[in-house]
Amino acid sequence: MERLLVEPFYVMKVLERAKELEKRGEKVIHLEIGEPDLPVPNKVKERALELLKSLELKYTESVGIYPLREAISSYYEREYGVKVEPERVIITPGSSPGLLALLKVAFEFLGEVSYSDPGYPCYKNMVKFLNIKGRALKVFPENQFKVEAKDLKTPVLIVNSPSNPTGSLYSKKELSKLAEKAFLISDEIYHGITYGQRATSVLEVSENCAVVNGFSKFFLMTGWRLGFLIVPKEFVPQITAVLQNIVISPPTLSQFAALACFEEETLRELKENIKVFKERRDLLLKGLKEIGFKVPVEPQGAFYVFADASKFTDDSFSFAFEVLEKAKVAITPGKDFGSNGTEKFVRFSFCTSKRNIEEALERLYSYLR
Ligand SMILES: Cc1ncc(COP(=O)(O)O)c(C=O)c1O
């Protein structure tokens, strides 16, 4: 079989080339990767070290340990004022396999799934991999790249707010309108990382919905592979059975250590990080505009700027490689996020220090101007 079952991430090609350049001794500045550079909370690391001495790392229940399901349930109550029974919270090894299981189950219960273009690539790729019916909905800068209820024709919609790659945030009213028309799968992985108003959880506006979330972004724990779902009661047995088969259980050490995430001190520290992200965002936005990029939607959350590079190119895929070769700055081509006008766009991630961002901007300025 020659053709891949799903499309790869094009950015991986950028990363591969960046690594080759680095091997040759070049200093590449990485603005392509969506992985927070800030350190994992201390309490989590301390807890993990203690646990390693005392805990036998055996499988846990497929749906995860009850104390963590409870901690997530009360976190959602504190943050959003919603009540969800811990039995509806399912822990997964990162949010990605949770989303995969949920998509299949939601499709079997309800039918065709829509997602936005541009949008997070895994939605389209997972739909394709599962061989379920899916529909890309074109979204445009004029509406901040958000899906509008009038365009929604399927019983299920994936929403991602704050969004990757655009940083757009759906208001409570917008989410309510969408929830009136479809079952929402709300990818809330960037919740907690917002630069003004907080993000609304879909659970605040509808009963008829599911949440995908995890510990990789706000909690900074990418490599700990921990995520969770909050689903309607009738989905639980189906999703549990799928997870029993495909993952057996989420990582034991990560689950116990993650309990420390919900302690006051850790949450306070994590909330402080938002100031750091905000400063980087402001710096990057200002610099990119000075160079000549257009930013039709300033990110209200997450850690990306989706910039229109049409002043410099009409092929942002080649442009990403050109910028890497000439300015030694790695960025993500728009093509990764869909096909609706994405050849004009590139995504800059601000998961790196202000110093690196400044240097990247200087390099881009001298190359492009
Ligand atoms: C929108 C979105 N959803 C989900 C994920 C997956 O995260 P993880 O599997 O690490 O929880 C990512 C990662 O970049 C993302 O950007």
Side-chain angles (χ1 to χ4, degrees), residues 55-305:
L55 194 72
E56 295 295 333
L57 295 177
K58 306 292 188 186
Y59 294 139
T60 68
E61 300 88 316
S62 289
V63 289
I65 58 169
Y66 198 72
L68 186 57
R69 299 168 78 198
E70 265 179 325
I72 291 166
S73 156
S74 51
Y75 179 67
Y76 261 74
E77 183 163 2
R78 287 199 307 278
E79 292 292 310
Y80 307 105
V82 296
K83 279 203 188 313
V84 279
E85 302 92 319
E87 287 72 16
R88 289 174 53 202
V89 179
I90 297 178
I91 314 295
T92 52
S95 69
S96 307
L99 175 62
L100 188 74
L102 172 62
L103 270 176
K104 174 73 175 160
V105 172
F107 173 77
E108 294 299 335
F109 270 104
L110 300 156
E112 190 173 3
V113 182
S114 292
Y115 45 84
S116 71
D117 178 357
Y120 180 54
C122 295
Y123 306 147
K124 138 175 112 349
N125 292 342
M126 285 187 188
V127 160
K128 187 170 176 218
F129 178 70
L130 292 168
N131 199 18
I132 63 179
K133 251 182 123 186
R135 191 184 297 204
L137 291 179
K138 289 185 182 172
V139 289
F140 299 95
E142 295 70 38
N143 193 39
Q144 300 185 308
F145 296 107
K146 291 190 269 195
V147 174
E148 290 184 80
K150 67 174 173 45
D151 298 324
L152 186 52
K153 303 276 184 303
T154 61
V156 183
L157 169 72
I158 309 175
V159 275
N160 177 213
S161 166
S163 133
N164 175 9
T166 65
S168 319
L169 197 65
Y170 284 76
S171 70
K172 200 167 188 172
K173 200 166 154 202
E174 287 164 337
L175 276 184
S176 299
K177 275 195 176 163
L178 293 172
E180 278 168 24
K181 290 194 71 178
F183 178 93
L184 300 187
I185 294 181
S186 173
D187 182 344
E188 304 189 350
I189 192 98
Y190 291 102
H191 274 223
I193 309 175
T194 49
Y195 307 113
Q197 66 186 119
R198 75 154 170 84
T200 302
S201 169
V202 74
L203 293 164
E204 293 173 70
V205 303
S206 176
E207 296 272 296
N208 191 29
C209 63
V211 166
V212 179
N213 202 337
F215 292 81
S216 290
K217 308 294 173 178
F218 175 67
F219 295 102
L220 313 165
M221 292 170 61
T222 43
W224 297 65
R225 302 315 299 135
L226 208 59
F228 60 89
L229 301 172
I230 303 176
V231 298
K233 258 200 189 106
E234 60 275 24
F235 281 27
V236 173
Q238 294 286 357
I239 291 178
T240 307
V242 176
L243 292 173
Q244 281 167 355
N245 278 278
I246 64 172
V247 302
I248 303 191
S249 85
T252 306
L253 184 64
S254 304
Q255 290 186 71
F256 281 99
L259 288 169
C261 286
F262 301 105
E263 290 170 14
E264 285 274 312
E265 191 187 322
T266 314
L267 285 172
R268 215 180 21 250
E269 264 174 46
L270 290 168
K271 284 181 182 164
E272 284 294 305
N273 291 339
I274 307 312
K275 287 188 199 139
V276 176
F277 284 126
K278 185 170 182 305
E279 280 178 17
R280 293 173 178 182
R281 177 197 75 152
D282 295 346
L283 177 70
L284 185 59
L285 275 175
K286 186 166 170 277
L288 289 176
K289 286 185 202 160
E290 277 165 13
I291 294 166
F293 289 95
K294 278 185 273 168
V295 183
V297 178
E298 298 201 350
Q300 292 174 278
F303 32 61
Y304 310 107
V305 175

